[in-house]
Amino acid sequence: MGPVIHTKTIGWEPSCSCGYDPIPDIVLDPFMGSGTTAQVAIQNGRQYLGCELNPEYKALQDERIVKAEGAVTEQTAQLALC
């Protein structure tokens, strides 16, 4: 086996000299399924774009997304109280 490489994101840096702040990545999930990728994207401060052909997943997607957004809002509120 080869070497194990560990990485860590320590911040966003612009790749140009335009003077604007960097915008975190947008996560694309072309097969959204149950919405786990969207949930994790929200929890990590990212935007997401997901597509799913099967309408049976809609309720589960909505539930996970609302739960993730609520957790992020609650976390933000706790940080504001500190």
Side-chain angles (χ1 to χ4, degrees), residues 9 11 18 21 24 27 32 35-36 46 58-59 68 73-75 80-81:
T9 301
C18 65
D21 290 332
V27 176
M32 195 169 172
T36 302
R46 306 294 193 274
K58 178 79 167 88
T73 302
E74 182 177 317
Q75 181 182 20
L81 293 175

Side-chain angles (χ1 to χ4, degrees), residues 10 13 34 47 49 51 54 57 64 73-75 79 81:
I10 58 173
E13 295 182 14
S34 62
Q47 297 178 0
L49 176 61
C51 304
N54 187 345
Y57 285 110
R64 288 188 172 179
T73 302
E74 182 177 317
Q75 181 182 20
L79 290 174
L81 293 175

Side-chain angles (χ1 to χ4, degrees), residues 7-70:
T7 62
K8 181 179 179 182
T9 301
I10 58 173
W12 299 100
E13 295 182 14
S15 59
C16 64
S17 59
C18 65
Y20 289 100
D21 290 332
I23 300 172
D25 297 331
I26 297 175
V27 176
L28 171 62
D29 186 2
F31 307 102
M32 195 169 172
S34 62
T36 302
T37 300
Q39 179 182 12
V40 173
I42 293 167
Q43 290 170 342
N44 286 287
R46 306 294 193 274
Q47 297 178 0
Y48 72 93
L49 176 61
C51 304
E52 178 57 54
L53 295 175
N54 187 345
E56 294 177 17
Y57 285 110
K58 178 79 167 88
L60 186 52
Q61 291 169 357
D62 291 345
E63 178 183 330
R64 288 188 172 179
I65 290 168
V66 167
K67 183 176 180 181
E69 288 173 341

